[in-house]
Structure formats: C-alpha cells, structure tokens
C-alpha cells in the first residue's frame, strides 16, 4: 500500500520532472529524426539533379562531337574535287569517308547526297551499301536536309548546359560562310540516334563550288549498346539504357529524350548515385541505438544530435567536392592537370576578343621531339612521367596570366597575353633551353627537344580555327628545319602550304595520266673489275610548268597523302620492264615505310612482278630501318612473304638510324647498304673508317652482301675494297641516267 506522501511524491515526479523531461526528450528526438531524414532526402535530390545535368550534358556533347567529327571531312578540298569528277570514285569515298568515319569515330551510317538530294554514296558499319538504303530513313532526316538547304528556317532544340560549358555549334557557321549544318537527336526507323547533316565545301580557296549547289554529307550514330557503354565509361553513369516506354525499373532515374523538333523519341534510364540513402542504410542501426540512449539521458541526446549533424555536414561537403572535381575533370587533362582542349579553346576565344581590342596576344603550338623513342625504349610509364615534367617546366616559364594546355599525346599549346614579339621569342628560347636539359625518368636520363610554332595574333584575327591552323603550319616548318627550334608564322608559309596542295593535285594528275614521271637508273658495281651487277631505280618528276621537281620535295607529299602506294607500284612496273631488258642485272626499288601500312601491300607487289614475267630474283627491294621500330608482326610477315616469292631484301642507309643486329637476325636481310655519310667522311673521321670495316666484317660473318653508297673518288674506292665491301655505288661509276641511256654505259652496250 502506497502512503499519501509516496503517492504525492510520485505524482510530483511525474508532473514536474518526468513529464516535462519526457516531453522535451520526445520533441527533441522527433525534431532530430525529422531533420536527419529531411537532410538525407535533400542530399539524394541534389545528387539526382546533378546527375540529370551531367547526363543531359553528356548527350549534348555527343551531338556536338558528331558534328565536329563530320566537319573534318566536310570541309575538304579533295572530297569536293572527287565529287565533281564525271566518274565517281566510290572506292576512294569508301576508304576516306565511310570507313574512316566508322573506324575512327564510330559513325554507324554515312551518306552523301548530290545537289538534288539523291544518294550517291552510302556506307553502313564502314562498308559501302546501295544508295537505296537511304530511302528507308530519308523521311526521318528530311527536316535536317531542308534546314541545311535553306528550305526551312529553324534551330535545333535547346540543350541544357552547365555554367561555363561552351555552347553547341548547331545550325552555325563552322569553317566557312557556307559550312552550314544541322544536328540533333532523331528517331530513325524507330531507333533513337543522333544525326548531323552538313554541306560539303572546300577548305581552301584553291577549289570552288557554286553556292547552293553543294553536296551534303549525313552521319548517323545510333544510341545503341556501344554508345551507352562509352557514355557510361566517360561520364561515370551507372547502368544506362534507352527505352521507348517511360516505365522505370526499381532504383532507376529517367530523363525524357526529345528530337531536334521537340518530339519525344524515348527515355534514358540509369541508376542514380544516392549518397543520402546509402548513409541512411549505413547508420540506421546506430540511429535506433542512439534514440534509445537519448530516452535514458538528455546528455546523450545532445551528443547524438551533434554527431548526426556533423556526419550530415561532412556528407554534404563531400558531395560538393565531388561535383567540383567532376567539373574540373571536364576541362582539365587527367595526367598533368593542365587545361584540356575544350578549356584551351574557350580561353583562346577570350584571348582573340582581347586581341581585337588591341592587346598583343601570341599562340604557341608545341610538340616534343623524340617522344616516341622514349616510349619505345623506356616504356609508357616513362613517357607519362616525361609529359608531367614537361608540363611542370612550361608552367614555370610562363606568367601567371598565361595559359598552358595539353591538347593530347605530346602536344601542348600556350597562350601568351600582353607581350610583344621580342618577349615571345625570349619565352620560346627559355622553353627550348629548359627542354634540352636531361629528364630523369625511372632511373634513366632522357634527352628530348621541343619544336614550337608561333602565331602573333593580329587585331583582325577572328577565327580560332584559323589561328590554330597557322600555329600548326609554323610548327611543321620548325620540324622541317631540324626540330628543337621555334618558327614564327608568316604569310609566305601559308603560300607554301598551298603550294604543297598544288603539288599534290599535280602529282595525282601525273599518276593518273602517266606523264611527267620518269625512272632513272644508277649502276651498282661489284666483283672483278668492278663490273655493273645491278641498277637502282630512282623516280624523277618533270613537271610541265615547274620543271624538274626534286624527289625530296614530292616524295614526302606522296607519303603524307597516301599517293606513295600508287607511285611505288608504278616505279616497280617500270623496273620490271628494265629487268626484262637486262636479264643479267638485278633492279633495286626503294620502298617507303608508308607502303607497309596498306593492307595487301605485299600481295600487290608480288602480283606486279608475276604479271610482268620477270624472274623475282632480279628484283631487290630496299627498305630503311624505320619500318622495324614498331616491331609490327604485319611488317615481319610482309617481308617474309616478299622474300619467299624470290625477291631480295636490302637494308638501305645502314648506320644512320637505329641499326641493330636484331633486325638482321629477325628479318632475314640479303644486303646491307652503308650510308654515304660514312663513305664521304672516311678520310676525315676515324670513327667512319671503323664503322665501315665493322659492317663489312659483320656482313662476311653473317653471309650478307655489303654495298657502299656515295663513292665519288678512287681513294674511297680503294679504301672500301680493302675494307671488304662486296659492291659499290656512286658518281665515280655513274650518275643516275634515264632508261634509254643505259645502253651507253660501259659494260651494258
């Protein structure tokens, strides 16, 4: 039985202490719980909103990227010229347009329309198909075509973009005033895709096309598994998929996808990152335990509230840091932390605006020399370390307001603001001196250099692409002048580039018509009395207006443009004719490393020799050491196939490159040709004498014929004979002569 005093005390405890304490505790617990779960919910909402922005941005960038890739071939003189030909070269189109856009950029379908919007070329998956396939998708793309033709006037649908992201180039001028294009999302045969339609226009003023009569090029990339895989890997999107139905699966977020006209074409789903929900799962048990402890003690309640608030605040800070990091990675190079091409282009646009207001601005294009050698000899880790050290070096040589960017590989670019030409040259000299110093890479010292192309931007410079083009021209000139230097762009260089284009076009005409090209032959002597044992076939070009053009001027152009394959096969056919005339002599033909990159190269050479009826043992193919550097199995198989057919392989210019006994063992070389530089310096340089003697002894030991080039004096002849050379070649015996003059040479009449 409870006494009245005990009951009164119990009632007082309940009403004065326990009740208020329980009420305060309950309110505090409910308030804290509400705040905690509200924070989790808003954290998840903020994360989903961020991912929606990033996903929309990734899709928009894919649209912009498709148009930029298409522009690389749409503004091309060679394509315009090809399309204007009476007989359309479909093989050229398939190689340089359809296959190239598919293999390099993944364009699933490529079409070219004539001025009447009729398909004259079609490729699906990089393979040429009938133009009738275009009719099945023409209705889906008609609005794009009409917009580019100017029959209708509308812009692509707006793209939501993050702050600071460069705007899309939809329906704007790209390369010239007629470089109009239309791109966007579209449904093609019921499948979601991105598409771009663009006018085909000349890149330079040397080729003209009537305005309004341009051909059109169409690129289509379906939003299939490969696209989703690339989207996921590049933008960290988890399990993306497309569907025509808006029904979400468990845990998915959805983003409606519309066409350029605002029509729905499908829905993009992915699993969003929900850091708040993850936090709730991780701390759920702890929260319950904390609430129980709070009921027992107000002190523990305060402590729990402080801990929960701290954890929530930490999570929000991490989310903000993650978003800032993603923004940084979108515009910076991952390896060096420098601005990437996107940020560089934006800053260059700003610099050009300042230049138009009178500020002096310079743009530098930089390319490391011998970087490939570092990668090949020390490995890619050393190459990455070298890139990082060069980046740090460049940052230390420019001012705070300047921009240093890595454009890719070993390519860098610099924007110098508010500096005169003398200051620009001084900075270039400092860069050259700094990069010449040895770099310590993984315990090894590497010596590299850098070539720099400089453009001093003028007040009337408005085109970012043109400025970069001029910087590249100056960079190529710096490389051509020996590398490890800088070159400032002048208008004469632009004329030189146009001259190269003219030479390329004339060389194509010469190969097509068979006029102007000649083969001269230089004898090779050997044996008793130094009798003529063979001839080296050397191509010459007698231009109808420019006169005789040196091989050093047109051969590099042929290699850059791919004409070297046709040129080399033409020389081989001429050599086979000479071989039939002189059956007791071998005919040597030079091969370019570029020829080895063409599929079926060895089979075509063997077919030419067989077709001519010449004994394959009469044909000697001269290669340089540069083709061995990559250790490509394809090159090894090609050389083995050529040698198995009966033709012989000679290693030309031996000693000037990366001469290695390994090459002689692996590739079964029949002959070594000692470079002329060792022969000409033999009377002045003891090292040259030692090298010639060592190579001759090496050839004797391995059963390989050794021939010396560049023999011009009787003294050189006697030295080489004493050293053990099997054969010689040079002006002492004869200069290269046309084929119809060979009969006048002693011993050949």
């Amino acid at each position: 039985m409870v006494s009245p005093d005990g009951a009164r005390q119990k009632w007082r405890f309940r009403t004065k202490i326990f009740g208020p304490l329980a009420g305060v505790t309950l309110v505090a617990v409910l308030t804290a719980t509400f705040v905690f779960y509200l924070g989790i919910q808003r954290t998840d909402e903020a994360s989903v909103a961020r991912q929606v922005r990033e996903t929309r941005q990734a899709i928009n960038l894919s649209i912009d990227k498709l148009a930029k890739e298409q522009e690389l071939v749409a503004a091309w003189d060679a394509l315009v010229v090809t399309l204007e030909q009476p007989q359309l070269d479909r093989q050229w189109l398939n190689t340089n347009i359809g296959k190239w856009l598919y293999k390099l950029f993944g364009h699933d379908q490529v079409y070219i329309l004539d001025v009447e919007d009729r398909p004259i070329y079609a490729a699906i998956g990089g393979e040429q198909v009938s133009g009738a396939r275009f009719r099945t998708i023409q209705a889906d793309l008609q609005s794009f075509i009409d917009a580019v033709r100017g029959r209708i006037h509308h812009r692509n649908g707006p793209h939501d973009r993050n702050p600071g992201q460069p705007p899309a180039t939809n329906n704007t001028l790209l390369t010239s005033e007629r470089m109009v294009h239309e791109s966007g999302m579209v449904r093609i045969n019921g499948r979601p895709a991105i598409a771009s339609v663009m006018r085909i226009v000349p890149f330079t003023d040397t080729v003209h096309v009537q305005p309004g009569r341009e051909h059109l090029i169409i690129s289509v990339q379906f939003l299939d598994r490969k696209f989703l895989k690339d989207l996921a890997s590049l933008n960290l999107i988890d399990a993306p998929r497309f569907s025509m139905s808006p029904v979400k699966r468990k845990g998915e977020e959805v983003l409606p996808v519309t066409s350029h006209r605002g029509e729905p074409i499908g829905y993009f789903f992915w699993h969003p990152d929900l850091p708040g929900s993850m936090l709730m799962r991780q701390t759920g048990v702890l929260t319950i335990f904390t609430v129980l402890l709070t009921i027992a003690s107000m002190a523990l309640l305060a402590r729990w509230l402080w801990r929960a608030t701290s954890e929530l605040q930490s999570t929000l800070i991490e989310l903000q840091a993650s978003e800032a990091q993603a923004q940084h990675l979108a515009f910076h190079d991952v390896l060096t932390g420098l601005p990437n091409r996107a940020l560089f282009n934006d800053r260059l646009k700003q610099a050009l605006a300042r230049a138009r207001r009178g500020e002096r601005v310079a743009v530098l294009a930089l390319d490391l020399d011998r970087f490939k050698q570092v990668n090949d000899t020390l490995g890619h880790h050393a190459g990455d370390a070298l890139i990082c050290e060069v980046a740090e070096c460049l940052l230390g040589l420019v001012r705070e307001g300047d921009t240093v960017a890595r454009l890719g590989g070993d390519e860098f670019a610099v924007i110098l603001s508010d500096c005169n030409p003398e200051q620009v040259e001084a900075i270039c000299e400092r860069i050259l001196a700094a990069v010449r110093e040895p770099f310590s890479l993984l315990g090894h010292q590497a010596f590299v250099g850098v070539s720099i192309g400089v453009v001093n931007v003028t007040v009337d410079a408005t085109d970012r692409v043109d400025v970069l083009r001029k910087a590249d021209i100056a960079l190529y000139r710096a490389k051509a002048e020996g590398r490890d230097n800088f070159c400032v762009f002048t208008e004469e260089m632009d004329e030189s580039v146009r001259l190269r284009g003219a030479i390329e076009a004339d060389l194509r005409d010469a190969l097509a018509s068979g006029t102007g090209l000649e083969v001269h032959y230089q004898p090779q002597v050997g044996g008793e009395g130094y009798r003529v044992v063979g001839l080296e076939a050397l191509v010459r070009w007698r231009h109808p207006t420019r006169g005789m053009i040196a091989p050093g001027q047109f051969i590099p152009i042929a290699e850059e443009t791919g004409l070297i394959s046709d040129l080399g096969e033409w020389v081989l056919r001429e050599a086979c004719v000479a071989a039939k005339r002189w059956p007791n002599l071998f005919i040597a033909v030079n091969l370019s490393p570029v020829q080895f990159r063409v599929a079926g190269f060895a089979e075509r050479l063997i077919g030419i020799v067989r077709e001519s009826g010449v004994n394959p043992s009469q044909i000697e193919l001269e290669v340089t050491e540069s083709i061995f550097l990559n250790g490509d199995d394809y090159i090894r198989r090609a050389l083995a196939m050529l040698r198995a057919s009966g033709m012989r392989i000679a290693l030309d210019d031996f000693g000037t490159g990366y001469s290695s006994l390994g090459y002689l063992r692996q590739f079964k070389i029949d002959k070594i040709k000692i470079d002329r530089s060792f022969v000409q310096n033999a009377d002045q340089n003891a090292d040259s004498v030692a090298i010639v003697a060592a190579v001759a002894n090496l050839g004797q030991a391995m059963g390989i014929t050794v021939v010396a080039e560049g023999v011009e004096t009787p003294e050189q002849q006697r030295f080489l004979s004493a050293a053990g050379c099997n054969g010689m070649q040079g002006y002492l015996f004869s200069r290269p002569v046309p084929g119809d003059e060979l009969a006048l040479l002693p011993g050949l009449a």
Side-chain angles (χ1 to χ4, degrees):
M1 184 176 180
V2 181
S3 65
D5 291 337
R8 209 170 17 255
Q9 185 177 1
K10 187 176 181 179
W11 177 81
R12 188 182 296 112
F13 174 80
R14 290 177 176 176
T15 57
K16 300 292 186 180
I17 299 176
F18 181 78
L21 181 60
V24 170
T25 302
L26 180 60
V27 171
V29 169
L30 292 176
T31 302
T33 302
F34 174 78
V35 171
F36 180 72
Y37 283 101
L38 180 62
I40 288 175
Q41 182 180 3
R42 291 187 176 179
T43 299
D44 287 346
E45 292 174 354
S47 178
V48 170
R50 172 180 57 81
Q51 292 174 69
V52 168
R53 293 195 305 271
E54 292 177 350
T55 302
R56 184 179 290 112
Q57 176 185 348
I59 295 175
N60 289 336
L61 288 177
S62 298
I63 298 174
D64 300 343
K65 178 174 173 290
L66 180 71
K68 286 295 185 183
E69 293 164 352
Q70 188 186 51
E71 182 187 355
L72 294 176
V73 298
W76 189 12
D77 293 357
L79 178 56
V80 175
V81 171
T82 299
L83 294 175
E84 294 295 332
Q85 296 299 318
Q87 184 67 31
L88 191 63
D89 190 349
R90 300 184 181 277
Q91 181 178 0
W92 186 93
L93 289 175
N94 198 49
T95 300
N96 294 277
I97 305 299
K99 284 188 176 180
W100 192 80
L101 288 176
Y102 175 74
K103 291 184 177 179
L104 192 59
F105 300 119
H107 293 197
D108 295 306
Q109 296 186 7
V110 179
Y111 303 93
I112 296 179
L113 309 185
D114 63 13
V115 296
E116 302 297 332
D117 293 344
R118 294 171 301 198
I120 61 174
Y121 170 76
I124 296 179
E127 297 297 329
Q128 185 175 353
V129 298
S130 170
R133 297 289 293 273
F134 174 73
R135 301 303 183 189
T136 63
I137 67 170
Q138 182 173 5
D140 298 323
L141 296 170
Q142 191 61 47
S143 62
F144 287 81
I145 297 171
D146 291 341
V148 173
R149 290 295 190 193
R151 294 191 283 264
I152 61 174
H153 300 281
H154 68 78
R155 298 181 64 85
N156 291 340
H159 299 310
D160 296 332
R161 300 179 178 276
N162 292 334
Q165 180 188 350
T169 59
N170 296 320
N171 209 20
T172 60
L173 298 179
L174 296 178
T175 303
S176 69
E177 294 181 354
R178 292 181 287 112
M179 194 65 198
V180 179
H181 94 286
E182 190 75 6
S183 62
M185 306 287 290
V186 67
R187 185 185 299 174
I188 296 180
N189 288 339
R191 296 173 62 189
I194 55 176
S196 178
V197 180
M198 189 173 294
R199 293 183 185 177
I200 298 175
V201 298
F203 185 78
T204 67
D205 295 333
T206 59
V207 177
H208 301 280
V209 63
Q210 182 180 353
R213 302 287 293 177
E214 300 91 344
H215 290 69
L216 301 185
I217 183 169
I218 300 174
S219 288
V220 176
Q221 189 172 20
F222 290 101
L223 307 183
D224 54 10
R225 293 180 179 177
K226 182 180 182 303
F227 176 86
L228 295 175
K229 181 179 179 181
D230 293 342
L231 193 66
S233 61
L234 294 176
N235 298 277
L236 304 180
I237 299 174
D238 184 25
R241 68 180 180 90
F242 271 102
S243 175
M244 306 305 296
S245 170
V247 179
K248 296 191 295 185
R249 298 174 184 171
K250 184 178 180 180
E252 285 187 336
E253 187 63 35
V254 60
L255 175 67
V257 178
T258 59
S259 69
H260 64 293
R261 292 178 292 187
E263 300 170 350
I265 64 173
Y267 300 87
F268 180 82
F269 298 90
W270 77 99
H271 288 284
D273 181 21
L274 302 176
S277 298
M278 182 181 296
L279 177 64
M280 182 179 67
R281 289 192 297 270
Q282 293 174 348
T283 62
V285 175
L286 179 61
T287 302
I288 296 174
F289 180 73
T290 305
V291 169
L292 294 176
L293 290 179
T294 302
I295 295 174
S297 172
M298 285 293 295
L300 292 178
L301 173 62
R303 184 177 180 181
W304 180 87
L305 288 173
W306 174 257
R307 183 183 303 169
T309 304
S310 299
E311 290 178 356
L312 184 58
Q313 184 177 5
S314 175
T315 302
L316 291 173
I317 292 174
E318 289 178 1
L319 285 174
Q320 293 172 354
S322 176
E323 186 171 1
Q325 183 182 12
Q327 187 75 8
H328 176 84
L329 291 176
F331 296 100
H332 290 81
D333 176 55
V334 176
L335 180 62
T336 63
L338 295 177
N340 60 13
R341 188 181 295 272
L343 184 54
F344 173 79
N345 288 339
D346 184 63
R347 292 189 179 177
L348 178 57
K349 182 179 179 181
Q350 299 174 17
L352 293 180
R354 296 195 303 272
R356 289 192 290 272
R357 295 194 295 267
E359 181 178 321
R360 291 178 172 178
V361 174
V363 177
L364 278 57
L366 302 89
D367 204 358
L368 294 183
D369 303 328
R370 298 181 293 279
F371 175 73
K372 185 178 185 299
Q373 181 180 351
V374 172
N375 262 346
D376 292 341
T377 56
L378 301 181
H380 291 288
H381 291 297
D384 290 344
L386 175 61
I387 291 295
C388 292
E389 290 201 24
V390 171
E392 185 175 354
C393 175
L394 294 176
L395 287 174
L397 294 174
V398 300
R399 299 160 300 177
E400 185 177 353
D402 299 329
T403 295
V404 178
R406 183 191 180 205
L407 303 184
D410 61 337
E411 301 177 35
F412 294 86
V414 178
I415 302 174
L416 301 176
S417 302
D418 195 18
C419 56
N420 57 45
E422 291 76 16
Q423 292 172 317
V424 173
E425 292 185 7
I427 292 175
C428 290
E429 293 289 358
R430 291 201 298 271
I431 293 175
L432 291 171
V435 179
R436 288 191 192 109
E437 295 296 322
F439 290 90
S440 180
L441 306 173
L442 305 180
H444 300 272
Q445 278 195 333
F447 291 85
V448 297
V450 64
S451 300
I452 308 174
V454 182
V455 175
N456 290 309
V457 180
T458 57
V459 176
D460 57 350
T462 59
D463 190 349
R464 172 181 56 81
V465 175
D466 188 57
V467 170
L468 293 177
R469 181 184 65 85
K470 292 177 179 178
D472 282 338
I473 291 175
L475 173 61
Y476 293 142
R477 177 62 63 88
K479 290 183 177 180
E481 293 178 353
R483 301 177 181 269
D484 195 27
N485 60 8
F486 73 91
C487 183
V488 181
F489 174 83
T490 61
E491 293 301 328
E492 289 76 12
M493 294 181 190
D494 218 359
E495 291 299 324
S496 175
V497 172
R498 293 189 178 95
L499 175 60
R500 288 173 64 87
I503 290 178
E504 176 191 348
D506 292 344
L507 182 57
R508 289 184 186 276
D509 293 340
L511 283 169
S513 63
T515 59
L517 294 173
E518 304 173 1
V519 176
H520 290 195
Y521 299 89
Q522 186 174 29
Q524 189 178 121
V525 302
E528 295 293 335
Y530 300 105
R531 58 184 177 84
V532 176
V533 296
L535 304 169
E536 181 177 359
L538 302 168
V539 65
R540 298 291 186 265
W541 184 14
R542 196 179 303 277
H543 194 278
T545 59
R546 304 180 192 274
M548 190 66 78
I549 299 180
Q553 187 173 2
F554 70 86
I555 292 294
I557 296 176
E559 290 180 327
E560 292 175 8
T561 58
L563 294 174
I564 192 65
S565 294
D566 293 337
L567 182 60
E569 293 174 10
W570 180 85
V571 173
L572 179 59
R573 289 189 178 92
E574 294 295 312
C576 289
V577 173
K580 294 189 70 173
R581 183 181 179 188
W582 306 100
N584 296 325
L585 304 179
F586 70 82
I587 309 296
V589 178
N590 291 280
L591 297 182
S592 166
V594 179
Q595 291 177 260
F596 283 85
R597 303 174 193 164
V598 180
F601 152 73
E603 291 86 347
R604 284 203 300 277
L605 294 192
I606 295 172
I608 291 172
V609 175
R610 288 177 177 172
E611 182 182 349
S612 70
V614 172
N615 186 343
S617 63
Q618 275 190 266
I619 304 299
E620 186 173 280
L621 303 176
E622 295 189 4
V623 299
T624 59
E625 297 167 87
S626 60
I627 69 168
F628 303 140
L629 294 182
N630 293 329
D632 196 328
D633 288 337
Y634 175 76
I635 293 176
R636 184 179 291 104
R637 289 194 300 270
L639 287 175
M641 184 182 300
L642 293 169
R643 198 168 184 270
S645 71
M647 290 183 273
R648 297 185 295 174
I649 306 298
L651 185 57
D652 198 10
D653 301 333
F654 189 79
T656 59
Y658 304 92
S659 305
S660 169
L661 292 177
Y663 298 156
L664 305 181
R665 292 196 306 268
Q666 296 177 30
F667 294 94
K668 306 297 183 183
I669 302 301
D670 298 292
K671 179 183 291 186
I672 299 173
K673 299 188 73 174
I674 301 175
D675 187 70
R676 67 182 63 248
S677 61
F678 298 105
V679 176
Q680 294 171 351
N681 295 330
D683 57 345
Q684 302 174 356
N685 191 321
D687 291 340
S688 295
V689 174
I691 290 173
V692 171
V695 174
N697 291 332
L698 174 66
Q700 292 176 1
M702 300 185 67
I704 299 175
T705 302
V706 178
V707 174
E709 296 182 294
V711 183
E712 298 180 355
T713 66
E715 291 78 10
Q716 293 172 351
Q717 177 186 5
R718 287 192 290 271
F719 157 68
L720 294 168
S721 179
C725 291
N726 306 104
M728 302 179 199
Q729 181 178 337
Y731 287 179
L732 177 63
F733 310 105
S734 174
R735 294 176 177 270
V737 298
D740 55 5
E741 297 181 14
L742 283 174
L744 302 178
L745 294 176
L748 289 181

